[in-house]
Amino acid sequence: MVRTAAPVGGKAGLVSQLTLALVCAGYAIGSALGWGSQQLALIMGDFGLSVAAATAAVSCFLYGRGHESRFRPAWLLFALSSAMAACGNAIWGWYEVVLGVEVPSPSIADLFFLCFAPPAIVGLLVLAKRPVSRAGWVCLGLDAWLIGGSLLTLSWSLALAHNSQPAGGSVPHAALDLAYPLLDIVLVSMVLALHFRRSSANRSAINTAIAALALTVLCDALFTSPLLRATYRSGELLDAGWFAGSLLLAYAPWVSTRGPAVEHPRVARRVTRGRLGSLSALTPYLAAAVCTLGILYNTLNGRSVDRVVLFTACTVVLALVVRQAIMLVDNITLTQELAQKENHFRSLVQGSSDVIMIAAPSGILHYVSPAASGVWGRNAEELKGSELADLIHPEDLGRVAHEIRRFLTAGPLEEPTTRIECRFKSGTGDWLNVESTVNRHQGGGLLFNSRDVTERVRLQAQLQHNAEHDPLTDLPNRALFTKRVGQALHGRRATDRGTAVLFIDLDGFKAVNDRLGHQAGDDLLVQAARRLADSVRQSDTAARLGGDEFAALIVGDGTRDTAARERHIQELADRLRLTLSQPYEVDGSGVRVAASIGVAFAEPGISAGDLLRNADLAMYRAKAAGKGRVVMFAPQMKAEVVRKAELATRLRSALHEGEFALLHQPVVRLDSGRITAVAAQARWRSAQGILFTPAEFLRVSEDNDRTAELGRWLLEEAVEQAAERGASGHAVPVSVRISAARILDRSVPLGTVEALLTRHGLPSGALIIELADHDPRIPLDELERRLTALHRLGVRIALDGFGNGFAAITALRRLPVDVLKLDRSLVEGVVESARLHKITSGLLKIAGDLGLQSVAEGVDLPEQVVALRAMGCTHAQGMAFSGPLDEYRLRRALTAGHYPLPRGPIEPVFAGGTVVRSHNETAVPPT
């Protein structure tokens, strides 16, 4: 397992650096003051340096052992080098401190000192950035020799020539005197040469190690000089340099990269590389200058040029020539490669489908690629020298100029590139949508890489249009309409109460769709959309919300006269209603539909959703009031909706809570007054004690499943109570109202009816189903099959509401009907209106001719009984006999068996007479 150590950085790094500086400064001060005694100076000068070198050896060894990297051998070699220095200083101290004798020359300490340089030199080679080619290795060697040879020339001229003469014939002593400076020169050469070639990895640690070795070499050079060598004693100030070099080398491997400087690191790196490159280029010339100084020194002193100086100077010059030749060859190769790359990029630019432009800071185009002719239809040569602003659409020019100024103000490293999209003028005068990537160019210019994105912009615009518009009519859809309503409410005229929303529904459109087909319905919708769009102003918005629902946003004009504004909107809505109600030409024939319109005005603080909801409520009120009309929203409409929702919520649990009761209204024969049947009617007495009739609670129930469940309960309860009355001797048929839609949607399955009749033992003819509506859209074929099947089970069929609508005659012709129930609208005015008297008489004659039983519904006055009986009506039900009864009162009435009938002519009750309540308003007697 590899051990890792955290690098020295941050606050801990600062503490380490301060500690190192204080220790080195303390040693330097002690050396300058002589340590207070000769003995202490010898100890600190010998064993102190040994401890510092040993610390460096241990530090580099621990780091090299615990870190797997390419530089691991370098730190291990530095550890070996420092260990050699530690041993040499220890032996030197043994002689001076322990034995108290002069250190012999040469000695074992010199052997260790000489072994200090080779491992350090190899370690520097490991730290160096390795050349990638053979020529690079040659250049590295030449650079090292240029530095080393020049230093050797200068050193030989100044001191080494004297040291090379054996003193007293002592060749080893002379060799030792030359070995120290020569190894130091090699080490200095490597330090200087590798300073320009050091690896970029862990740069701080490498710089610190180079600085430590450079300081050590400098002290070695001073030690070997004749001026200091003769007077040197251990513990002097020179030892402080060796001490600092060893501790600096011990600190080097643990150095981390410091925090970011004020300048961007990339900029600092680029500047540093530029300076180092300049110094590296000057190195050969500086080496030649040093050699020249060495020769001049010998000449000026009147001495003949030494053979060593001459040899080294010649080799330095030769190395310089070879180095320059290699550089020349490299420059030629690089020039050729640059030319090839330039040709390659030129062919890429000229062959690119994108337009490349170079613009000066003033906006003048200096270069335009040939692609401009294909993309913009403009000659590239003609565009050169023109203004960039002349190509940009005037509406986009300000935005483009602002973006370019912002881009140039930002630093190149913060924002190296930007993107601009604007419209460019083509050669045909059209405006093309162009997207440009902008980069900085030399001299403050701009480099544009532009491409035509007109088709993409058109596609995006089309997709956006499709997402916000109705595909059939091309009017804004609900999403866009809601968005524009919100803009109108939160714009400059947010407090303008004149802004209004109109919700429009085409009454009768579904019948057109069913009768003529969906294609005809679509044609009608397109015509209606065109009429709506033509009826509003350009600043207003007409929209299709879905199906046959349309809407219009009428933006207020800022008028303060609220009444005048409401009148204007009312008039506009009326005109729009009349316009949309005009005949439509569909499939060669005229088709009419009506328009129900709800209007809601904006109020301060209202949201778009609330305003649309208000208009929707007003539109539904218009449909409920008879369709084909305009209704203005009133606050009480919302309250009614809330009440309806609450009532519908309570209705869902009313059946399970037992809040529904079943009442029966007797059906009486008009010739005898005998009760021949009863009509079952549901009543809902809520937990709050409020009584609701079917007309009230079925109107609030929009839950089809809940309505079907109520219908099933009514049928089962009516059959069960009829069976119980039959068992107690009061057998009488019961009629149950069921809509044709319920019969067709299988709410009354045949198996259920048959099982119900069998389970309760109800005889044939004891159950009468009243067909409650005659919607012309209901398929009569299916209805006929369903009713025929029920008829086979012994269920009698009654046609309710006969005489109201056009479908009654068709239903009478097709369906297996046993009983005709006259609509109450024919009964209410039969005494007062001669015309209605004739209509009712005719319908009753039809029933008699067909052999059908006739029942008049809503017979509330005695004179109506007389008139209907005279016309041939056989049965009647209403307040003239009895209202709906609970089970107890019904059995009492059945026990009596009949009701008294009025005889002879009776004067009718006109307006101002006694008001007879309808059975729908009859109070339920207590049970």
Side-chain angles (χ1 to χ4, degrees):
M1 182 175 178
V2 179
R3 294 178 300 167
T4 59
V8 181
K11 189 174 181 180
L14 181 60
V15 172
S16 301
Q17 294 169 9
L18 290 176
T19 304
L20 178 64
L22 290 175
V23 172
C24 293
Y27 191 95
I29 293 172
S31 300
L33 298 178
W35 296 104
S37 67
Q38 183 65 28
Q39 187 66 19
L40 182 59
L42 292 176
I43 293 174
M44 295 302 297
D46 294 335
F47 292 112
L49 294 181
S50 179
V51 170
T55 302
V58 172
S59 176
C60 293
F61 177 77
L62 291 178
Y63 185 86
R65 184 182 178 186
H67 290 75
E68 291 288 346
S69 67
R70 185 172 70 85
F71 302 126
R72 180 182 182 185
W75 297 111
L76 294 177
L77 288 169
F78 290 152
L80 177 61
S81 177
S82 298
M84 295 296 104
C87 292
N89 283 298
I91 294 173
W92 196 285
W94 175 265
Y95 280 110
E96 286 191 335
V97 177
V98 178
L99 299 180
V101 299
E102 192 75 23
V103 180
S105 180
S107 65
I108 299 177
D110 292 321
L111 177 62
F112 283 105
F113 285 142
L114 290 176
C115 290
F116 167 80
I121 293 171
V122 178
L124 288 174
L125 288 174
V126 174
L127 290 179
K129 186 178 181 180
R130 297 179 181 178
V132 295
S133 63
R134 186 176 301 174
W137 285 104
V138 174
C139 289
L140 177 61
L142 291 174
D143 290 342
W145 174 243
L146 285 172
I147 299 172
S150 60
L151 292 178
L152 178 60
T153 301
L154 185 60
S155 301
W156 190 272
S157 301
L158 296 176
L160 295 183
H162 174 74
N163 294 339
S164 64
Q165 301 298 328
S170 177
V171 176
H173 187 273
L176 183 63
D177 289 341
L178 289 176
Y180 278 114
L182 289 177
L183 287 175
D184 287 340
I185 287 173
V186 174
L187 189 56
V188 170
S189 302
M190 295 306 301
V191 167
L192 293 177
L194 297 178
H195 177 68
F196 305 110
R197 293 176 175 267
R198 64 186 183 276
S199 175
S200 59
N202 204 3
R203 185 179 298 273
S204 298
I206 295 175
N207 286 341
T208 306
I210 292 175
L213 293 176
L215 181 59
T216 303
V217 170
L218 177 61
C219 294
D220 287 346
L222 293 175
F223 174 75
T224 57
S225 66
L227 297 176
L228 293 179
R229 180 68 179 272
T231 61
Y232 170 76
R233 293 292 183 272
S234 295
E236 293 183 352
L237 191 59
L238 185 61
D239 291 347
W242 281 316
F243 184 85
S246 295
L247 292 187
L248 199 60
L249 185 60
Y251 175 71
W254 310 98
V255 177
S256 65
T257 303
R258 292 173 176 81
V262 176
E263 188 178 13
H264 196 279
R266 294 185 180 178
V267 177
R269 191 177 303 122
R270 189 179 299 119
V271 173
T272 303
R273 288 179 179 176
R275 293 173 180 173
L276 294 179
S278 301
L279 293 176
S280 179
L282 291 176
T283 301
Y285 304 101
L286 293 175
V290 170
C291 290
T292 304
L293 290 176
I295 297 173
L296 287 176
Y297 177 79
N298 283 275
T299 304
L300 293 176
N301 287 338
R303 293 184 294 177
S304 60
V305 179
D306 193 277
R307 286 177 296 175
V308 174
V309 173
L310 183 61
F311 176 77
T312 54
C314 290
T315 55
V316 167
V317 173
L318 179 61
L320 177 61
V321 172
V322 175
R323 182 72 175 84
Q324 293 300 104
I326 293 175
M327 290 181 62
L328 180 61
V329 173
D330 287 344
N331 289 338
I332 294 174
T333 304
L334 290 175
T335 302
Q336 292 175 350
E337 292 179 356
L338 182 61
Q340 292 177 356
K341 291 181 178 179
E342 184 178 354
N343 293 332
H344 174 68
F345 283 112
R346 182 180 292 108
S347 62
L348 288 178
V349 170
Q350 293 180 351
S352 174
S353 59
D354 293 349
V355 180
I356 311 298
M357 299 185 300
I358 299 176
S362 60
I364 302 297
L365 294 176
H366 287 174
Y367 174 79
V368 180
S369 66
S373 59
V375 177
W376 297 341
R378 306 189 67 169
N379 191 289
E381 295 299 327
E382 294 178 358
L383 291 176
K384 291 181 182 179
S386 62
E387 287 275 357
L388 178 63
D390 296 338
L391 301 177
I392 301 175
H393 195 283
E395 296 178 0
D396 300 339
L397 185 57
R399 176 173 53 83
V400 172
H402 173 75
E403 175 62 21
I404 290 178
R405 282 195 298 269
R406 187 200 60 79
F407 172 65
L408 294 177
T409 302
L413 297 172
E414 297 175 3
E415 191 171 3
T417 183
T418 188
R419 182 167 295 179
I420 296 175
E421 187 169 334
C422 60
R423 287 168 288 180
F424 270 40
K425 183 183 292 184
S426 68
T428 59
D430 298 329
W431 293 101
L432 303 177
N433 293 92
V434 174
E435 183 185 65
S436 300
T437 302
V438 185
N439 293 275
R440 293 172 179 83
H441 197 253
Q442 299 175 357
L446 294 172
L447 176 65
F448 289 82
N449 187 357
S450 305
R451 63 201 62 87
D452 182 11
V453 293
T454 304
E455 290 302 322
R456 189 195 71 187
V457 172
R458 288 176 181 171
L459 178 59
Q460 289 176 344
Q462 185 62 44
L463 292 175
Q464 183 70 20
H465 181 85
N466 293 344
E468 295 182 339
H469 287 77
D470 175 55
L472 177 63
T473 63
D474 203 39
L475 290 179
N477 59 14
R478 183 183 293 273
L480 181 56
F481 184 75
T482 304
K483 178 180 177 181
R484 291 188 179 177
V485 171
Q487 292 172 348
L489 295 179
H490 298 91
R492 293 182 295 108
R493 298 174 177 174
T495 58
D496 185 3
R497 298 172 64 96
T499 298
V501 170
L502 281 63
F503 261 49
I504 306 160
D505 186 83
L506 300 182
D507 305 318
F509 171 75
K510 192 175 188 306
V512 175
N513 243 358
D514 296 338
R515 189 171 70 255
L516 301 178
H518 290 284
Q519 183 61 40
D522 291 346
D523 190 12
L524 189 149
L525 290 175
V526 171
Q527 296 182 45
R530 190 179 302 116
R531 294 183 187 182
L532 176 60
D534 293 340
S535 300
V536 298
R537 301 169 302 181
Q538 190 71 23
S539 58
D540 300 331
T541 300
R544 182 192 177 203
L545 305 182
D548 59 346
E549 290 188 354
F550 293 85
L553 169 64
I554 311 300
V555 181
D557 56 5
T559 180
R560 295 184 180 275
D561 190 347
T562 305
R565 182 61 180 165
E566 291 183 357
R567 284 196 304 271
H568 170 70
I569 295 296
Q570 179 73 45
E571 294 171 359
L572 173 64
D574 284 330
R575 290 197 305 269
L576 190 57
R577 178 184 61 82
L578 294 175
T579 300
L580 295 176
S581 301
Q582 296 298 318
Y584 295 87
E585 187 68 24
V586 178
D587 288 343
S589 59
V591 176
R592 283 184 177 272
V593 293
S596 296
I597 302 177
V599 182
F601 286 93
E603 299 176 356
I606 193 172
S607 66
D610 289 338
L611 182 58
L612 296 178
R613 194 175 301 111
N614 292 346
D616 198 18
L617 290 176
M619 185 266 290
Y620 276 106
R621 178 58 63 89
K623 293 177 69 68
K627 302 180 179 180
R629 62 188 62 201
V630 176
V631 173
M632 313 294 285
F633 172 77
Q636 58 267 25
M637 294 181 184
K638 188 176 294 186
E640 291 178 5
V641 171
V642 173
R643 176 181 174 275
K644 178 181 177 182
E646 293 176 351
L647 195 60
T649 302
R650 294 203 302 267
L651 180 62
R652 294 188 181 97
S653 59
L655 271 176
H656 304 286
E657 299 295 334
E659 296 180 6
F660 276 91
L662 194 64
L663 305 181
H664 296 84
Q665 188 173 31
V667 178
V668 180
R669 282 187 65 93
L670 293 182
D671 59 352
S672 63
R674 188 169 58 87
I675 301 174
T676 60
V678 291
Q681 298 177 8
R683 291 293 186 275
W684 174 26
R685 186 182 296 278
S686 68
Q688 291 77 20
I690 303 174
L691 181 68
F692 299 101
T693 63
E696 294 173 317
F697 61 73
L698 291 181
R699 185 171 63 249
V700 303
S701 177
E702 297 179 355
D703 188 345
N704 291 334
D705 293 336
R706 191 63 57 191
T707 306
E709 183 180 356
L710 179 60
R712 288 192 293 270
W713 174 86
L714 177 63
L715 178 62
E716 293 175 0
E717 194 73 13
V719 171
E720 181 179 359
Q721 291 188 17
E724 291 176 356
R725 286 191 297 272
S728 61
H730 299 94
V732 61
V734 60
S735 64
V736 180
R737 297 187 68 183
I738 300 177
S739 67
R742 290 295 171 199
I743 292 177
L744 290 182
D745 68 4
R746 309 293 179 177
S747 295
V748 188
L750 295 178
T752 300
V753 175
E754 185 176 8
L756 191 64
L757 297 176
T758 302
R759 182 170 68 250
H760 294 287
L762 209 62
S764 176
L767 175 62
I768 305 172
I769 290 181
E770 297 181 9
L771 199 61
D773 54 29
H774 316 290
D775 192 336
R777 295 172 294 182
I778 293 179
L780 281 178
D781 294 338
E782 179 64 21
L783 184 61
E784 182 181 5
R785 284 193 293 270
R786 293 282 295 166
L787 293 179
T788 302
L790 289 172
H791 205 265
R792 293 195 190 100
L793 296 177
V795 178
R796 300 171 64 193
I797 306 299
L799 189 61
D800 188 28
F802 184 70
N804 180 21
F806 299 99
I809 300 300
T810 304
L812 184 61
R813 180 174 60 88
R814 298 279 303 275
L815 302 180
V817 178
D818 301 297
V819 180
L820 286 182
K821 298 193 71 173
L822 292 180
D823 189 74
R824 66 175 52 253
S825 62
L826 299 177
V827 176
E828 289 175 351
V830 70
V831 178
E832 296 84 356
S833 173
R835 185 181 183 87
L836 189 60
H837 186 280
K838 292 181 180 180
I839 294 174
T840 305
S841 177
L843 294 175
L844 289 172
K845 187 176 185 305
I846 293 174
D849 292 344
L850 293 176
L852 302 178
Q853 177 182 317
S854 58
V855 178
E857 192 175 10
V859 180
D860 298 332
L861 302 174
E863 56 267 27
Q864 293 173 346
V865 175
V866 175
L868 289 169
R869 184 175 55 199
M871 283 186 254
C873 184
T874 60
H875 295 76
Q877 70 181 76
M879 294 301 296
F881 306 104
S882 173
L885 303 175
D886 61 5
E887 189 65 22
Y888 173 74
R889 286 176 171 77
L890 176 61
R891 294 199 177 196
R892 287 180 57 187
L894 293 176
T895 301
H898 67 280
Y899 286 99
L901 297 176
R903 297 295 177 182
I906 300 177
E907 294 296 331
V909 179
F910 296 100
T914 304
V915 178
V916 182
R917 293 182 299 177
S918 169
H919 73 281
N920 279 339
E921 299 173 351
T922 303
V924 178
T927 57

